[in-house]
Amino acid sequence: MKISTRGRYALRVMIDLAEHNHQTFLPLKEIALRQEISQKYLEGIMADLTKAGLLEGLHGKGGGYRLSRSPEAYTVGEILRLTEGDLAPVTCLEKNSAPCAISNRCKTLPMWKDFSKLVNSFFDGITLADLAKNGSEGSDYVI
């Protein structure tokens, strides 16, 4: 499993918003500058995060983005599943995948199921607040 740039940037943006969580809307331009990410690229990520209800967005003067919940209420798993899709390590474990013809006799399926549980449990056990407190405010982290 490899996390894409989109997933890593979404985490960075969410951490940035958690670190600057003052219940005010933060302009996308400021976030993009702090994170050294193209504002144009972030627009698509922010639209997805807003559509899913993870962020609130406001257009116009005083507009921008803010978290819709407290940082403790977000998990890394939730953010990654939104941006990356299913975190399943193999196709046969993905949601809505066609049934595997040999799943009843597959020697590796139990291993992949256990691995998938570990990955999801790991990412679901880390909150945005955990990541935000791991350093000082700013862009001093790399994901």
Side-chain angles (χ1 to χ4, degrees):
M1 169 184 41
K2 187 174 183 178
I3 304 300
S4 71
T5 302
R6 185 175 187 77
R8 294 190 324 269
Y9 284 4
L11 281 173
R12 285 174 51 187
V13 165
M14 295 294 286
I15 294 166
D16 189 284
L17 288 167
E19 289 176 337
H20 299 90
N21 190 22
H22 309 295
Q23 295 303 316
T24 58
F25 288 93
L26 298 173
L28 182 60
K29 183 177 183 176
E30 288 179 17
I31 298 166
L33 284 172
R34 272 194 301 271
Q35 294 305 314
E36 299 177 11
I37 301 171
S38 159
Q39 184 174 338
K40 187 74 175 162
Y41 189 74
L42 280 183
E43 286 173 0
I45 294 171
M46 300 306 256
D48 289 345
L49 294 170
T50 302
K51 184 178 177 182
L54 275 64
L55 298 179
E56 295 175 357
L58 181 67
H59 295 286
K61 186 175 170 77
Y65 295 91
R66 68 180 180 193
L67 299 178
S68 59
R69 312 186 299 246
S70 71
E72 297 80 13
Y74 295 90
T75 68
V76 170
E78 170 186 27
I79 297 163
L80 288 179
R81 281 187 290 276
L82 174 67
T83 55
E84 299 295 315
D86 203 325
L87 297 177
V90 290
T91 306
C92 61
L93 293 179
E94 291 177 353
K95 290 180 183 173
N96 304 319
S97 67
C100 178
I102 64 163
S103 64
N104 62 339
R105 65 182 192 276
C106 180
K107 300 287 186 180
T108 62
L109 186 58
M111 174 191 66
W112 293 124
K113 284 182 178 180
D114 288 347
F115 180 68
S116 183
K117 286 178 194 173
L118 284 171
V119 167
N120 282 284
S121 176
F122 176 78
F123 286 134
D124 287 337
I126 303 170
T127 69
L128 204 51
D130 295 332
L131 295 177
K133 73 179 178 185
N134 281 339
S136 59
E137 284 188 9
S139 60
D140 60 343
Y141 45 82
V142 177
I143 297 178

